[in-house]
Amino acid sequence: MPVNLLEFDLEQLSQYCESLGEKRFRATQLFRWIHQRGANSFDQMTDLAKSLRVLLESHCAITPLKVISRQNSKDGTIKWLFDVGGGDAVETVFIPEDDRGTLCISSQAGCAVGCVFCSTGHQGFSRNLTTAEIVSQLWFAEHTLRSEFARSERIVSNIVMMGMGEPLQNYSALVPALKTMLSDHGYGISRRRLTVSTSGVVPMIERLGRDAPVALAVSLHAPNDTLRDRLVPLNKKYPLAELRQACVSYLAVAPRDFITFEYCMLDGVNDSLEHAQEIVDWLRPTPSLKLQPLPAKINLIPFNPFPASGLLCSSPQTVKAFSQLLLAAGIVTTVRKTRGDDIDAACGQLAGEVLDRTDVVHRMSKQKTIPLKPIESLQ
Ligand code: SAH
Ligand code: SF4
């Protein structure tokens, strides 16, 4: 198998070029051809010496993921399903807005965290994506859309690692991918416009702050350990106090002066005014606790229901009352608009459904059963 150059960040590509006996700066040219111009063959790279192109051809390739399907939503959202082999597929979603184009990227096939409200979590874990598979989603979306829209300037301005999988449980593949996204010779995405979303892998939040400090979103979903243990099982390993401390430390290096907390609104589960007040108290503890306040933005996500969850979305009135309590306490709070729900591209609906339908037996044999508690007992 030839080496896939989508696997390397610029530093790694420089080392690779050196290992082939080439000068390091050739890597910059090569990197720009691949990521800025979307080249997938060495023939296109006309400013590289013919001898170098022949050398590269015999050792490596630029191999993106294969597309299984594409769906276009009425609201302009586009969802691609990519084949990652072994019967697995991952999804990537492009969300156009007036002032930005956001790409939502997957980091794993399935997810091992098993949050009760997430269809990827219900699917279970298949495997980590490689760096090439993560970067490939951006490479493909950017260059496909650029040629479709006949634009020479960048299409993807913002990236959220909010597709399938827990990015911080695939750390070693994630970091080079983030570096390629951030590189001026790659996609030139600013650190403020690149968001890693995590269910709270505490030690990796700290490492991310050292290795690639980008914007951080933390999936909170519950303001106390009893409830969070049930909704986000990883909380048993990294409870809220540790998560809070990791967030406070991260702010010292973060490109934004707040942490975004995502909170999925689940009817009768985590959506009472008492829960909202608990969030306020968690962010701004009483002075006697000697904890510093945690600057935060809360993003309330209307739950996208799916049958196996046994859960329902909170009513619009409940979401409004919940957000009003937070706003009255001075906490910046937004309610996320649902995009692309006619094509199942909304949060938590990313479960490789096309493949599910064609490959049900295979999928069922892999599915991890997550015991669901009755809704009453989740309160
Ligand atoms: N694993 C990471 C990133 C992927 S999930 C994380 O959990 O943060 C991206 C976001 O979608 C998370 O905030 C997650 O809680 C939310 N989400 C998952 N399932 C959802 C659903 N059914 N409805 C609404 N949001 C959901
Ligand atoms: Fe995994 Fe995130 Fe889904 Fe939880 S919400 S199961 S961490 S993808």
Side-chain angles (χ1 to χ4, degrees), residues 13 127 146 156 205 217 262 281 310 316 331 355:
L13 188 64
R127 70 168 175 87
R146 221 187 269 180
V156 175
I205 292 178
E262 290 154 285
D281 297 341
I331 295 168
L355 202 72

Side-chain angles (χ1 to χ4, degrees), residues 111 113-115 117-118 121 165-166 199:
C111 182
V113 177
C115 300
F117 50 82
C118 172
E166 169 48 59
S199 55

Side-chain angles (χ1 to χ4, degrees), residues 141-305:
E142 174 66 37
H143 297 293
T144 302
L145 296 178
R146 221 187 269 180
S147 68
E148 276 176 23
F149 300 160
R151 268 177 44 183
S152 54
E153 72 271 35
R154 208 170 56 184
I155 304 278
V156 175
S157 61
N158 294 53
I159 294 174
V160 290
M161 296 302 303
M162 289 187 187
M164 297 166 75
E166 169 48 59
L168 296 187
Q169 286 189 338
N170 185 13
Y171 192 79
S172 59
L174 176 74
V175 169
L178 297 178
K179 289 186 173 163
T180 297
M181 295 168 189
L182 293 168
S183 169
D184 285 341
H185 299 293
Y187 298 86
I189 304 285
S190 92
R191 294 200 295 139
R192 298 162 58 83
R193 290 167 175 267
L194 173 49
T195 302
V196 168
S197 176
T198 179
S199 55
V201 190
V202 166
M204 295 303 163
I205 292 178
E206 285 155 14
R207 279 184 65 183
L208 185 70
R210 289 197 294 274
D211 296 335
V214 295
L216 186 68
V218 172
S219 293
L220 187 62
H221 308 307
N224 61 66
D225 284 323
T226 314
L227 181 56
R228 197 163 188 271
D229 280 354
R230 291 176 181 156
L231 297 181
V232 184
L234 192 68
N235 194 68
K236 293 185 204 130
K237 196 162 179 194
Y238 305 115
L240 282 167
E242 287 180 32
L243 181 57
R244 189 182 194 288
Q245 185 48 50
C247 291
V248 170
S249 308
Y250 195 84
L251 280 169
V253 292
R256 293 180 178 270
D257 52 11
F258 58 85
I259 304 284
T260 302
F261 288 98
E262 290 154 285
Y263 197 95
C264 185
M265 296 294 288
L266 303 166
D267 183 37
V269 176
N270 64 355
D271 63 350
S272 72
L273 293 179
E274 288 74 29
H275 291 126
Q277 185 58 48
E278 269 187 280
I279 297 179
V280 176
D281 297 341
W282 187 71
L283 294 172
R284 311 237 191 87
T286 56
S288 63
L289 288 172
K290 295 200 167 56
L291 289 170
Q292 63 190 97
L294 174 49
K297 184 183 146 203
I298 308 273
N299 198 357
L300 300 177
I301 315 173
F303 170 58
N304 288 306

Side-chain angles (χ1 to χ4, degrees), residues 352-372:
E353 293 189 1
V354 171
L355 202 72
D356 275 1
R357 267 179 248 126
T358 55
D359 199 4
V360 176
V361 179
H362 174 82
R363 176 72 53 192
M364 295 300 277
S365 67
K366 284 180 136 187
Q367 225 156 30
K368 195 173 69 181
T369 314
I370 297 157
L372 277 177

